[in-house]
Amino acid sequence: MNEFNSSFQVQTAYVDDDVITLEWKEHIRLRPGMYIGKLGDGTSADDGIYVLLKEVLDNSIDEYMMGYGKSISVSIRDGEVTVRDYGRGVPLNKVVDVSSRMNTGAKYDSKAFKKSVGLNGVGIKAANALSRYFRIASFREKESKEVEYERADIVRQTEIVETSEKNGTLVSFIPDNEIFINYAYQDEYVENLLKNYVFLNTGLTINYNGKPFHSKNGLADLLNERMTTEPLYPVIHLKGDDIEVVITHGNQYGEEYYSFVNGQYTTQGGTHLSAFRESVSRVIKEYFNKGFEYSDIRSGIVGAISIKVVEPVFESQTKTKLGSKDIAPDGPSISKFIGDFIKKELDNYLHINSSTSDVLLRKIMESEKERKAIAGITKLARERAKKANLHNKKLRDCRIHLNDAKGDDRENASIFITEGDSASGSITKSRDPNLQAVFSLRGKPLNCFGLTKKVVYENEEFNLLQAALNIEDGLEGLRYNKVIIATDADVDGMHIRLLLITFFLQFFPDLIKRNHVFILQTPLFRVRNKQKTIYCYSEEERQKAIKELGKNPEITRFKGLGEISPDEFKHFISGDIRLDPVSIKKEDLIKEMLEFYMGKNTMDRQNFIIRNLVVEEDFENADLAS
């Protein structure tokens, strides 16, 4: 027996003491990912602190859906979150149980909550266990009870007392900074979460730090809020029992969807979204009776669907992907339920609204024409990309893909897009080879604004990048959750960033809209003495470091990524990584924005630069090391 095999013969004791039982709070704190997904610090919309807020809000939303309370107040100040609803209030004798006893809730065998999201009695307990301070107060029929916790241990609870407060529940918590390191809530992400709630619950008002959110038109308001291109025709808005859908097309590539189940935003879709895409394509194809391909029908589509499901089954506790196959235990399949609704309502709509049908037909024919124009090179380009990827020196993949891992592992995967041998070499030597891949550009990429998708296949850089990300047919196959642009913090580096962002916005806008694209921030300075080293990302941080370290510290100015040693680089792409998300808002109409910044309007852009020019002052220390 060789040494390798013999190492597996070592016997490890397995005795009574090895079997332990964790308390509910210990298990949540030890394995938070099982309950809230990733932790994060608030810089991404799916970070854990937003999940904690959502878990508390879901209970208030369920009360509204049952007809109790028309408003919810949310405040976030100095890291403390407070949610006050005006529902029925938690039964007073059960306030402790619902906030600290696992698998305790009113939704297991209750018709009142048959189409609720939080069915497992876990969410609010997770918020409690992962907070350093948690308070719950219930107001019910002129009586109240309140309980306070510190890291899920009760530190104070009142008896049931009289109150003048309106019925409802108040929850206040401060996420534990030992778990969520340096966290901060971002208004943008909080407001998007709250907007989704009001879009799905017309008539509900949510006040956030005094700012009201309300919707009159449901999912139609959502599409108007999210679209970054003008719709080609008025939004088709269809509503039925337990289902609501909206559909339109824009002058853009790809497909853009928003899907919801029982008020829960399913960011990764699921059985309902698959049925929606299939049904819409089939009905439109049958309506026009022209044998269109589904890809041409869906090119440029923007849509949303919301359905109600009895006892929905999700693929994780964070409920981002629906796994249910049936609309109810004794009801039709989700596919049939959605298919029958779309067949009837969308077909009727297209017959009645001929002007919309005409615009839709032109859009589909334009997509078909472009697809056929590039069909010849597409097959060749795909083969070339696949062949090149087998021996692709531009892509240094991570092991989870080399081993064809799937599922949650891919959620943790990222890819750095960088330029030049020195920069890509530094990142490659410093990265975590299990989860971090590197794609190396050769020089500046092409400015693709105004070009058709044909350029994606004709341009080797874009073709190989598309193949590496696996996004040719949409984001379902995306191999990396984070696409990180890593370029030097100089004029050339900024230009490369713009060219890459232009490429994504032009041909794969959903990659940015779904928060997958980031800019890597690396330090501009290293300030150190014999005792301590401080990395600074701005001139302000540099000045602060100089004061902290005292007299005559050594100061190094990093001019490019290649100048940072691999040992140092590890700090900046691991636990201490700083990423700026690339995001786009409703007011940032993609076509108009790209036309201004990347188009041929030279004088307009030149005048804009002159008006907004800021001259950077020379650094005070003339002896900065180069």
Side-chain angles (χ1 to χ4, degrees):
M1 182 180 296
N2 62 35
E3 183 179 351
F4 178 81
N5 288 330
S6 65
S7 65
F8 285 87
Q9 304 301 313
V10 177
Q11 298 296 313
T12 302
Y14 180 40
V15 297
D16 291 352
D17 290 343
D18 291 324
V19 180
I20 61 174
T21 300
L22 294 173
E23 289 189 22
W24 68 274
K25 63 182 180 181
E26 292 174 330
H27 191 271
I28 295 175
R29 291 176 68 86
L30 184 65
R31 298 283 187 268
M34 291 179 59
Y35 300 90
I36 64 166
K38 66 174 185 169
L39 295 177
D41 59 4
T43 55
S44 294
D46 58 350
D47 282 350
I49 59 172
Y50 303 110
V51 178
L52 300 186
L53 169 59
K54 183 188 71 62
E55 293 290 1
V56 173
L57 270 169
D58 280 345
N59 294 318
S60 299
I61 296 297
D62 285 337
E63 283 294 295
Y64 171 79
M65 290 172 63
M66 294 308 303
Y68 299 97
K70 294 183 179 180
S71 67
I72 300 170
S73 296
V74 180
S75 69
I76 301 178
R77 292 186 174 87
D78 299 323
E80 181 172 359
V81 180
T82 301
V83 177
R84 170 68 155 101
D85 68 41
Y86 298 90
R88 291 165 292 182
V90 175
L92 300 183
N93 288 317
K94 294 294 183 180
V95 172
V96 172
D97 290 351
V98 300
S99 56
S100 62
R101 183 168 295 175
M102 290 293 281
N103 303 317
T104 300
K107 305 173 187 177
Y108 296 105
D109 191 27
S110 171
K111 292 181 180 179
F113 289 104
K114 68 178 182 177
K115 293 171 184 174
S116 171
V117 170
L119 293 175
N120 299 320
V122 172
I124 197 170
K125 284 74 147 183
N128 186 356
L130 298 174
S131 296
R132 63 182 175 90
Y133 171 80
F134 185 93
R135 171 187 171 218
I136 180 170
S138 178
F139 312 102
R140 193 175 171 100
E141 306 303 332
K142 304 300 181 181
E143 293 184 322
S144 70
K145 181 176 177 61
E146 181 177 337
V147 185
E148 289 185 59
Y149 300 83
E150 290 181 2
R151 294 189 169 90
D153 289 325
I154 295 177
V155 293
R156 186 180 75 89
Q157 67 172 306
T158 67
E159 300 295 328
I160 296 175
V161 298
E162 292 184 359
T163 183
S164 60
E165 287 275 356
K166 293 182 179 179
N167 283 1
T169 304
L170 181 148
V171 173
S172 184
F173 65 93
I174 303 175
D176 193 340
N177 50 14
E178 292 181 1
I179 296 173
F180 305 98
I181 307 300
N182 297 323
Y183 78 88
Y185 281 94
Q186 306 290 327
D187 282 344
E188 176 186 356
Y189 297 140
V190 174
E191 291 183 2
N192 282 338
L193 175 66
L194 302 183
K195 285 176 184 177
N196 283 340
Y197 278 120
V198 298
F199 292 147
L200 296 165
N201 297 278
T202 53
L204 171 66
T205 298
I206 300 180
N207 292 288
Y208 173 51
N209 288 346
K211 180 179 179 181
F213 293 89
H214 186 85
S215 172
K216 293 182 179 180
N217 304 304
L219 290 186
D221 287 341
L222 179 144
L223 238 59
N224 183 60
E225 172 76 20
R226 298 286 189 261
M227 286 188 69
T228 53
T229 181
E230 292 295 334
L232 296 179
Y233 53 84
V235 171
I236 300 172
H237 193 178
L238 309 173
K239 299 179 72 173
D241 292 337
D242 293 335
I243 185 170
E244 179 182 3
V245 303
V246 286
I247 306 162
T248 190
H249 279 74
N251 272 325
Q252 62 185 37
Y253 290 98
E255 306 170 41
E256 184 177 341
Y257 299 105
Y258 305 90
S259 63
F260 304 85
V261 176
N262 295 7
Q264 171 68 38
Y265 182 21
T266 44
T267 55
Q268 296 184 32
T271 51
H272 59 319
L273 180 56
S274 298
F276 177 57
R277 295 175 71 234
E278 171 75 19
S279 300
V280 168
S281 303
R282 183 175 62 252
V283 169
I284 292 175
K285 180 177 181 177
E286 291 173 354
Y287 172 80
F288 288 118
N289 193 26
K290 290 183 178 293
F292 289 131
E293 291 197 7
Y294 283 1
S295 61
D296 297 326
I297 293 172
R298 295 198 293 245
S299 180
I301 194 172
V302 186
I305 179 170
S306 173
I307 64 170
K308 300 288 179 63
V309 176
V310 176
E311 298 182 0
V313 176
F314 297 95
E315 294 193 3
S316 70
Q317 166 63 22
T318 51
K319 309 179 187 78
T320 55
K321 187 173 184 179
L322 180 67
S324 298
K325 290 188 168 37
D326 299 319
I327 203 76
D330 57 348
S333 69
I334 286 175
S335 178
K336 177 173 172 49
F337 174 75
I338 293 174
D340 289 349
F341 175 79
I342 296 293
K343 170 63 179 174
K344 177 184 176 182
E345 300 298 332
L346 181 56
D347 186 71
N348 286 345
Y349 186 96
L350 293 174
H351 276 94
I352 294 171
N353 297 274
S354 58
S355 58
T356 292
S357 303
D358 291 343
V359 175
L360 178 56
L361 178 61
R362 286 196 297 272
K363 170 60 179 172
I364 295 171
M365 293 178 69
E366 288 173 2
S367 298
E368 181 184 56
K369 182 179 179 181
E370 181 175 356
R371 177 181 56 79
K372 289 180 176 179
I374 65 175
I377 65 167
T378 300
K379 183 178 180 181
L380 180 62
R382 283 177 178 170
E383 292 174 353
R384 190 171 71 242
K386 288 180 180 178
K387 183 177 179 181
N389 276 337
L390 293 175
H391 309 285
N392 186 8
K393 293 182 180 179
K394 301 177 73 62
L395 174 65
R396 297 169 178 86
D397 214 345
C398 49
R399 288 178 184 147
I400 67 165
H401 289 309
L402 295 174
N403 297 332
D404 197 29
K406 297 178 180 178
D408 291 339
D409 285 338
R410 295 196 175 192
E411 285 296 302
N412 298 319
S414 58
I415 184 170
F416 295 95
I417 304 175
T418 189
E419 187 271 327
D421 293 336
S422 58
S424 63
S426 291
I427 294 180
T428 300
K429 292 175 183 177
S430 309
R431 65 175 176 145
D432 175 355
N434 293 309
L435 296 172
Q436 295 176 324
V438 181
F439 185 92
S440 178
L441 296 168
R442 185 180 66 241
K444 289 185 180 179
L446 176 71
N447 180 1
C448 61
F449 173 69
L451 304 179
T452 68
K453 204 168 186 179
K454 183 179 179 182
V455 72
V456 178
Y457 300 97
E458 291 181 328
N459 182 278
E460 183 180 16
E461 298 282 311
F462 288 155
N463 188 25
L464 291 174
L465 179 55
Q466 172 188 256
L469 299 177
N470 194 34
I471 54 176
E472 179 183 6
D473 297 320
L475 296 192
E476 288 80 7
L478 180 64
R479 302 173 74 241
Y480 311 95
N481 192 41
K482 290 183 177 179
V483 179
I484 304 169
I485 300 173
T487 60
D488 293 341
D490 57 15
V491 173
D492 285 338
M494 299 290 183
H495 193 200
I496 293 171
R497 291 182 191 179
L498 287 175
L499 292 169
L500 284 170
I501 292 171
T502 299
F503 168 68
F504 291 136
L505 286 176
Q506 180 83 353
F507 302 115
F508 306 102
D510 224 19
L511 197 66
I512 289 177
K513 290 181 180 181
R514 291 189 175 274
N515 304 307
H516 289 294
V517 182
F518 299 83
I519 302 295
L520 174 67
Q521 294 298 323
T522 52
L524 298 174
F525 307 97
R526 180 182 62 212
V527 182
R528 65 183 178 184
N529 57 23
K530 292 182 179 180
Q531 288 76 40
K532 188 175 183 180
T533 298
I534 300 176
Y535 296 99
C536 308
Y537 291 76
S538 66
E539 172 63 12
E540 182 181 6
E541 289 186 16
R542 183 182 80 98
Q543 293 294 343
K544 183 178 178 181
I546 291 172
K547 291 180 180 178
E548 179 180 340
L549 296 185
K551 195 173 181 180
N552 297 324
E554 176 191 323
I555 304 171
T556 301
R557 171 71 186 268
F558 296 119
K559 294 182 179 179
L561 302 184
E563 294 184 352
I564 305 176
S565 71
D567 288 340
E568 287 182 296
F569 222 120
K570 284 183 180 179
H571 300 294
F572 315 133
I573 61 173
S574 57
D576 295 329
I577 191 169
R578 292 196 191 185
L579 297 176
D580 288 340
V582 178
S583 60
I584 190 163
K585 302 181 179 66
K586 164 66 179 176
E587 56 268 25
D588 299 325
L589 293 174
I590 291 177
K591 183 178 179 182
E592 289 77 2
M593 181 175 63
L594 291 181
E595 174 70 44
F596 181 82
Y597 288 105
M598 307 305 289
K600 297 180 179 180
N601 56 333
T602 309
M603 284 306 300
D604 288 343
R605 189 162 57 243
Q606 179 177 317
N607 291 334
F608 173 82
I609 293 171
I610 292 173
R611 287 196 306 269
N612 293 275
L613 182 64
V614 176
V615 179
E616 183 178 333
E617 295 180 357
D618 292 334
F619 293 117
E620 294 179 5
N621 288 21
D623 60 343
L624 293 181
S626 60

